[in-house]
Amino acid sequence: MDELRHRWDPQTAATVESHVTVIDEPADLERLIAVAASMPPLRLRVSRSARWLAPDPGLFLVVEDPQSDLRRYREAVLGPERATFRAHVTLLHRDSIGSQEQVDEAWASLGDLILDHEFIVTELIVHDLTEGQWREVARPRFAAQPGPL
């Protein structure tokens, strides 16, 4: 993933490491930490490439939630009305796009990418974007190990 991000979006790759975005809206930090501490780790799967379309184009890897772990976590943190969300790994961020040709070239290269890789999230890293710089503000850990994938 790092290689793809550095190839297609070196600007963002230089400012924040590869990551799965599980929450991208404002959330109460204390609640986020407490809920993680009370739940088992998240069982997720990165599956394939996809793209956002205008007005905010970009490319990403789809992260699936086959056991609904992420949905339960988001519901506990944000409430049921905001529980659904497409977790993802950004490959080309909208703020790094200079032209439609750049998006088209990236999609031509990555559009048929299939990874199908399961993984377990035992810890979250909460970042805050301040004055153009990402800074870590917390590292909530999940409570216990989940069952087999």
Side-chain angles (χ1 to χ4, degrees):
M1 263 184 258
D2 284 335
E3 186 178 314
L4 293 174
R5 291 181 72 240
H6 282 281
R7 163 66 176 102
W8 296 105
D9 192 351
Q11 175 183 327
T12 302
T15 62
V16 65
E17 65 274 2
S18 292
H19 62 280
V20 175
T21 302
V22 297
I23 293 178
D24 69 348
E25 60 263 62
D28 178 88
L29 184 58
E30 288 180 25
R31 179 146 186 80
L32 201 135
I33 293 168
V35 170
S38 73
M39 294 181 72
L42 308 176
R43 297 163 295 175
L44 303 173
R45 179 176 53 241
V46 64
S47 61
R48 61 182 173 78
S49 57
R51 61 197 271 178
W52 290 292
L53 301 174
D56 294 321
L59 276 66
F60 62 97
L61 297 174
V62 173
V63 176
E64 297 175 357
D65 184 17
Q67 309 299 321
S68 296
D69 295 343
L70 179 56
R71 183 197 51 77
R72 283 189 291 277
Y73 178 73
R74 287 182 52 85
E75 186 172 295
V77 172
L78 301 169
E81 66 280 357
R82 296 193 329 188
T84 59
F85 173 76
R86 177 173 267 182
H88 60 277
V89 176
T90 303
L91 297 176
L92 178 57
H93 192 275
R94 68 179 176 258
D95 293 342
S96 300
I97 295 172
S99 68
Q100 184 60 47
E101 291 76 28
Q102 178 188 11
V103 176
D104 294 342
E105 180 185 355
W107 184 246
S109 177
L110 301 171
D112 59 357
L113 184 63
I114 306 258
L115 296 173
D116 197 30
H117 179 75
E118 295 179 344
F119 61 98
I120 296 175
V121 177
T122 59
E123 173 181 69
L124 299 176
I125 301 174
V126 180
H127 284 98
D128 182 35
L129 182 61
T130 306
E131 297 177 6
Q133 295 292 329
W134 290 100
R135 65 180 184 88
E136 183 180 320
V137 295
R139 280 189 180 243
R141 295 192 57 78
F142 288 93
Q145 292 300 318
L149 290 172

